[in-house]
Amino acid sequence: MPDDAAVPTMFDQKLDKLAALAVRVGLNLRPGQEVVMTAPVEALPLVRRIAAHAYQAGATLVTPLIGDDEVALARYRHAGDDAFDTAPGWLFEGMAAAFRGGAARLAVVGEDPTLLAGQDPAKVARANRARSIAYRPALELITSFAINWNLVPASTPGWAREVFPGLPEAEAVARLWDAIFMACRVDQADPVAGWAAHNATLHARTKFLNGKDYAELRYRGPGTDLVIGLADGHLWAGGAEPAKNGIICNPNIPTEEVFTTPHKLRVSGTVRSTKPLAYQGTLIDDIQVRFEEGRIVEAHASRGEDVLRRVLETDEGAARLGEVALVPHSSPISASGLLFRNTLFDENAASHIALGQAYTTCLRDSTGVPMDELAKRGANASLIHIDWMIGSGEIDIDGVTKTGSVEPLMRGGEFVAA
Amino acid sequence: MPDDAAVPTMFDQKLDKLAALAVRVGLNLRPGQEVVMTAPVEALPLVRRIAAHAYQAGATLVTPLIGDDEVALARYRHAGDDAFDTAPGWLFEGMAAAFRGGAARLAVVGEDPTLLAGQDPAKVARANRARSIAYRPALELITSFAINWNLVPASTPGWAREVFPGLPEAEAVARLWDAIFMACRVDQADPVAGWAAHNATLHARTKFLNGKDYAELRYRGPGTDLVIGLADGHLWAGGAEPAKNGIICNPNIPTEEVFTTPHKLRVSGTVRSTKPLAYQGTLIDDIQVRFEEGRIVEAHASRGEDVLRRVLETDEGAARLGEVALVPHSSPISASGLLFRNTLFDENAASHIALGQAYTTCLRDSTGVPMDELAKRGANASLIHIDWMIGSGEIDIDGVTKTGSVEPLMRGGEFVAA
């Protein structure tokens, strides 16, 4: 019979497994690499375990850059108006230098999704803009997959409060940890082996779908009757992938999706969202849109419709699709039934589509090809990329081959092929 | 009558005063400056208050770089042997870039003096060396006083344990906070005004001593009969001083000393230490040395004598003096009767001398003059700079003018002139 003392021990074991997973599977850290790790201060117990595993894996140096919400808020509470166009460029340039020098990048994710909700939106926007510009050199090394990198979650009071509103803080934090451990598959005896199997499943799925090279996908379900044409020469991706430094890593833990690039002109029909979309502090719920020739021509939502409309008007590409992703309804995140209000989780909870910018890496022979050329194959361009969930246990999806034959792909939210 | 609830409130008030002091007196922060702040994670409550005061004073951005002892120890516990020559040069270069861009530098000091005591000394030495080399560009901007900077203390469990061995952790931390508040003069109604008065006292003292331009100082006390010749063209310094960016700041909080450069060839007689010297994890106690023509020719200690001898053999300059500093015996730090095992405190607890490298800024017209020339005036050169206490309530000091007249300077450890 477990006694009280056993409870932290079981928790500690899971925390340690999550840390090992981030280092061995997420980063697949190689001996001699430095690790540059960002994390909220509440994640310090996980940070310490990640440092231990990184050194065991041969890291020369682990440098944690610890963030604190109170220090971030102090600026909005006390700084003058002219403070909000400044960003720590010196730090971000340093991080970029570390990446160019061979460092791996680990981000422990546990943001309070509503931290800045009460602050002046104009100041938030200016600070975000300054930060985005200053961070660009470092971010480009990550988005271009120049280095091995990983996002791994940690439960924090600010985040847990949003996922479990109404629960006492300590209980909410504990419940979110449980959900994280389940979603990250660390509640198994050997999570590293579990992730090898999971990556194999995702790779088998992308291989199957790339072999099929479907012309389009057809979705049917409550409120949904949609055809998504796929880009010419699209490629499905998912799970572990090789970075340009040759290291095969899992950039996201958890991950459940396989995803590719739709054709921006070949989407038609109606689709209904199956989970609320948390967008910059606003919940947009019951989205219902109609596509004609790839473009959304009608859009409704039971909540946040004005925000949705503003999003769609961002630019020409904002009302077209840039990503289509398939996630089984039985995935652990979906099974939790929770809305995490964090992209790392919510985009892996269900099959989804994304408005806006396409991933050019999901097109064959795309390296060095100008965006104009890729656009002719169907790749969409936009300033935004917003994922929203359209999968559930009631969705059927067919693949349509180039010769027009229709093949069942998913039934009741589960893969029947692939 | 104070109730329990008043205790944390009084502590919070003092913590807030210490934060205000670091920003307003320590840095004398100017509107539009960034702040780059290093701190141990245990000092987070102070870090948050410093951030608030810095933003109130017009900071555009406060970037805390939070250190954690457990992460630091993880390297020694788990890393391979080849890890210890790596330092975060990318981060230090970033800090140097921030300083060159106008940022102020604040360091919250609370190190556990024995953190690495159990680790392989060879690895510690290699890591320190790599760190020193990588940090040099940033450190030079601090030591050359190019920017306004400040060290301010925070009580941490690791440090408090060493100052109050045997006390329960929480009590030790609270006692060390009390000692810090007293030493930093924040247990006054208006510490900022208190520091203005304190700086005025120190400045009057340096002005008096610089006016006297003594040829030598003569020390008498138990075990001490010492003559220290001062360097030709020596300058006394102490308290707030202008950085090269024009901002008058107090680099150290607390500070009690006025100090100058002795003549490396003109020290003779015997001197006994009055407090133990904490040197790299070793306590050296009851130091008794004899000088001839500026050089230590005989050295004893009741404890740590072997370490003392090794220090003196570091190089030619290690057995000669590089600094002489005067601190009244009634200073708050001395009055506490504590051994802090931290230079920021212990060197301000009593009159002291330092073996090794001289401060060239304590010589008139020294800017741009090569070290060879400054050596002719008496400035010592060495890889080391180690302060040790020779002051107490039983020490008398006379100043000897260039014409040979002998004037009482300190009696029973207190200034009678200056």
Side-chain angles (χ1 to χ4, degrees), chain B residues 61-85:
Chain B
L61 186 64
V62 179
T63 304
L65 299 167
I66 305 290
D68 180 59
D69 286 352
E70 283 299 313
V71 171
L73 281 174
R75 195 182 195 199
Y76 290 92
R77 287 180 183 141
H78 302 296
D81 184 67
D82 54 352
F84 294 89
D85 300 313

Short mmCIF file of all heavy atoms in Angstrom, two decimals, chain B residues 61-85:
data_model
loop_
_atom_site.label_atom_id
_atom_site.label_comp_id
_atom_site.label_asym_id
_atom_site.label_seq_id
_atom_site.Cartn_x
_atom_site.Cartn_y
_atom_site.Cartn_z
N LEU B 61 14.41 48.13 -20.01
CA LEU B 61 14.32 46.68 -19.94
C LEU B 61 15.24 46.18 -18.83
O LEU B 61 16.38 46.61 -18.73
CB LEU B 61 14.76 46.06 -21.28
CG LEU B 61 14.59 44.55 -21.42
CD1 LEU B 61 13.12 44.15 -21.38
CD2 LEU B 61 15.21 44.08 -22.74
N VAL B 62 14.70 45.29 -18.00
CA VAL B 62 15.49 44.63 -16.96
C VAL B 62 15.58 43.16 -17.34
O VAL B 62 14.56 42.48 -17.45
CB VAL B 62 14.84 44.78 -15.57
CG1 VAL B 62 15.66 44.06 -14.51
CG2 VAL B 62 14.67 46.25 -15.22
N THR B 63 16.80 42.67 -17.55
CA THR B 63 16.97 41.27 -17.93
C THR B 63 17.69 40.54 -16.80
O THR B 63 18.88 40.75 -16.59
CB THR B 63 17.78 41.14 -19.23
OG1 THR B 63 17.13 41.89 -20.26
CG2 THR B 63 17.88 39.68 -19.66
N PRO B 64 16.95 39.71 -16.03
CA PRO B 64 17.63 38.95 -14.98
C PRO B 64 18.24 37.68 -15.57
O PRO B 64 17.60 36.99 -16.38
CB PRO B 64 16.50 38.59 -14.00
CG PRO B 64 15.22 39.01 -14.66
CD PRO B 64 15.51 39.49 -16.05
N LEU B 65 19.46 37.38 -15.20
CA LEU B 65 20.11 36.12 -15.56
C LEU B 65 20.24 35.35 -14.25
O LEU B 65 21.07 35.67 -13.41
CB LEU B 65 21.47 36.37 -16.21
CG LEU B 65 21.40 37.18 -17.51
CD1 LEU B 65 22.79 37.66 -17.92
CD2 LEU B 65 20.78 36.35 -18.63
N ILE B 66 19.35 34.36 -14.08
CA ILE B 66 19.16 33.70 -12.79
C ILE B 66 20.02 32.44 -12.72
O ILE B 66 19.89 31.56 -13.57
CB ILE B 66 17.68 33.32 -12.59
CG1 ILE B 66 16.77 34.55 -12.75
CG2 ILE B 66 17.46 32.62 -11.27
CD1 ILE B 66 16.89 35.54 -11.63
N GLY B 67 20.87 32.38 -11.71
CA GLY B 67 21.72 31.21 -11.54
C GLY B 67 21.16 30.23 -10.53
O GLY B 67 20.39 30.62 -9.64
N ASP B 68 21.51 28.97 -10.68
CA ASP B 68 21.03 27.94 -9.76
C ASP B 68 22.17 27.01 -9.38
O ASP B 68 22.83 26.44 -10.25
CB ASP B 68 19.89 27.15 -10.42
CG ASP B 68 19.36 26.07 -9.51
OD1 ASP B 68 18.89 26.41 -8.40
OD2 ASP B 68 19.45 24.88 -9.86
N ASP B 69 22.40 26.87 -8.07
CA ASP B 69 23.50 26.04 -7.59
C ASP B 69 23.37 24.59 -8.03
O ASP B 69 24.36 23.93 -8.34
CB ASP B 69 23.56 26.09 -6.05
CG ASP B 69 24.12 27.42 -5.54
OD1 ASP B 69 24.60 28.22 -6.36
OD2 ASP B 69 24.06 27.63 -4.32
N GLU B 70 22.13 24.07 -8.03
CA GLU B 70 21.92 22.65 -8.39
C GLU B 70 22.34 22.40 -9.84
O GLU B 70 22.93 21.37 -10.16
CB GLU B 70 20.46 22.26 -8.20
CG GLU B 70 20.07 22.02 -6.76
CD GLU B 70 20.86 20.89 -6.13
OE1 GLU B 70 20.99 19.83 -6.76
OE2 GLU B 70 21.36 21.08 -5.01
N VAL B 71 22.01 23.34 -10.73
CA VAL B 71 22.41 23.20 -12.14
C VAL B 71 23.93 23.28 -12.24
O VAL B 71 24.56 22.51 -12.99
CB VAL B 71 21.72 24.27 -13.01
CG1 VAL B 71 22.30 24.27 -14.42
CG2 VAL B 71 20.21 24.02 -13.06
N ALA B 72 24.54 24.17 -11.45
CA ALA B 72 26.01 24.29 -11.47
C ALA B 72 26.65 23.00 -10.96
O ALA B 72 27.62 22.51 -11.54
CB ALA B 72 26.45 25.48 -10.60
N LEU B 73 26.09 22.43 -9.90
CA LEU B 73 26.65 21.19 -9.34
C LEU B 73 26.43 20.00 -10.27
O LEU B 73 27.25 19.07 -10.29
CB LEU B 73 26.01 20.89 -7.98
CG LEU B 73 26.56 21.68 -6.81
CD1 LEU B 73 25.75 21.39 -5.55
CD2 LEU B 73 28.04 21.36 -6.57
N ALA B 74 25.33 20.01 -11.03
CA ALA B 74 25.02 18.89 -11.94
C ALA B 74 26.19 18.63 -12.88
O ALA B 74 26.48 17.48 -13.24
CB ALA B 74 23.74 19.18 -12.73
N ARG B 75 26.88 19.72 -13.28
CA ARG B 75 28.02 19.55 -14.19
C ARG B 75 29.12 18.72 -13.52
O ARG B 75 29.66 17.79 -14.12
CB ARG B 75 28.54 20.93 -14.55
CG ARG B 75 29.46 20.94 -15.74
CD ARG B 75 29.93 22.35 -15.95
NE ARG B 75 30.54 22.56 -17.24
CZ ARG B 75 31.33 23.59 -17.50
NH1 ARG B 75 31.58 24.48 -16.56
NH2 ARG B 75 31.86 23.74 -18.69
N TYR B 76 29.44 19.07 -12.26
CA TYR B 76 30.51 18.34 -11.56
C TYR B 76 30.10 16.90 -11.27
O TYR B 76 30.92 15.99 -11.23
CB TYR B 76 30.91 19.08 -10.28
CG TYR B 76 31.64 20.36 -10.60
CD1 TYR B 76 30.96 21.56 -10.72
CD2 TYR B 76 33.01 20.34 -10.83
CE1 TYR B 76 31.63 22.73 -11.05
CE2 TYR B 76 33.69 21.51 -11.17
CZ TYR B 76 32.99 22.70 -11.27
OH TYR B 76 33.66 23.84 -11.61
N ARG B 77 28.80 16.70 -11.06
CA ARG B 77 28.32 15.35 -10.72
C ARG B 77 28.21 14.45 -11.93
O ARG B 77 28.37 13.24 -11.83
CB ARG B 77 26.94 15.44 -10.05
CG ARG B 77 27.00 15.99 -8.64
CD ARG B 77 25.60 16.08 -8.03
NE ARG B 77 25.67 16.66 -6.70
CZ ARG B 77 24.78 17.51 -6.21
NH1 ARG B 77 23.72 17.88 -6.94
NH2 ARG B 77 24.92 18.00 -4.99
N HIS B 78 27.90 15.02 -13.10
CA HIS B 78 27.51 14.17 -14.23
C HIS B 78 28.32 14.36 -15.51
O HIS B 78 28.28 13.49 -16.37
CB HIS B 78 26.03 14.40 -14.56
CG HIS B 78 25.10 14.14 -13.42
ND1 HIS B 78 24.95 12.89 -12.87
CD2 HIS B 78 24.30 14.96 -12.71
CE1 HIS B 78 24.08 12.95 -11.86
NE2 HIS B 78 23.66 14.20 -11.75
N ALA B 79 29.00 15.50 -15.67
CA ALA B 79 29.62 15.77 -16.97
C ALA B 79 30.91 14.98 -17.13
O ALA B 79 31.56 14.60 -16.16
CB ALA B 79 29.90 17.26 -17.13
N GLY B 80 31.29 14.76 -18.38
CA GLY B 80 32.55 14.10 -18.69
C GLY B 80 33.71 15.04 -18.44
O GLY B 80 33.53 16.26 -18.30
N ASP B 81 34.91 14.46 -18.39
CA ASP B 81 36.10 15.25 -18.04
C ASP B 81 36.36 16.38 -19.04
O ASP B 81 36.90 17.42 -18.68
CB ASP B 81 37.32 14.33 -17.96
CG ASP B 81 38.55 15.09 -17.50
OD1 ASP B 81 38.56 15.52 -16.33
OD2 ASP B 81 39.48 15.27 -18.31
N ASP B 82 35.97 16.16 -20.31
CA ASP B 82 36.29 17.16 -21.33
C ASP B 82 35.33 18.35 -21.33
O ASP B 82 35.45 19.24 -22.18
CB ASP B 82 36.34 16.51 -22.73
CG ASP B 82 35.07 15.75 -23.03
OD1 ASP B 82 34.22 15.60 -22.12
OD2 ASP B 82 34.90 15.31 -24.18
N ALA B 83 34.37 18.37 -20.38
CA ALA B 83 33.37 19.45 -20.37
C ALA B 83 33.91 20.73 -19.73
O ALA B 83 33.38 21.82 -19.96
CB ALA B 83 32.12 19.01 -19.63
N PHE B 84 34.98 20.64 -18.94
CA PHE B 84 35.30 21.71 -17.99
C PHE B 84 36.13 22.86 -18.56
O PHE B 84 36.51 23.77 -17.83
CB PHE B 84 35.92 21.12 -16.73
CG PHE B 84 34.92 20.29 -15.97
CD1 PHE B 84 34.78 18.94 -16.23
CD2 PHE B 84 34.06 20.89 -15.07
CE1 PHE B 84 33.82 18.19 -15.57
CE2 PHE B 84 33.11 20.15 -14.42
CZ PHE B 84 32.97 18.79 -14.66
N ASP B 85 36.40 22.80 -19.87
CA ASP B 85 37.10 23.93 -20.49
C ASP B 85 36.13 24.82 -21.28
O ASP B 85 36.57 25.71 -22.01
CB ASP B 85 38.22 23.41 -21.40
CG ASP B 85 39.22 22.59 -20.61
OD1 ASP B 85 39.64 23.05 -19.53
OD2 ASP B 85 39.57 21.47 -21.04
#
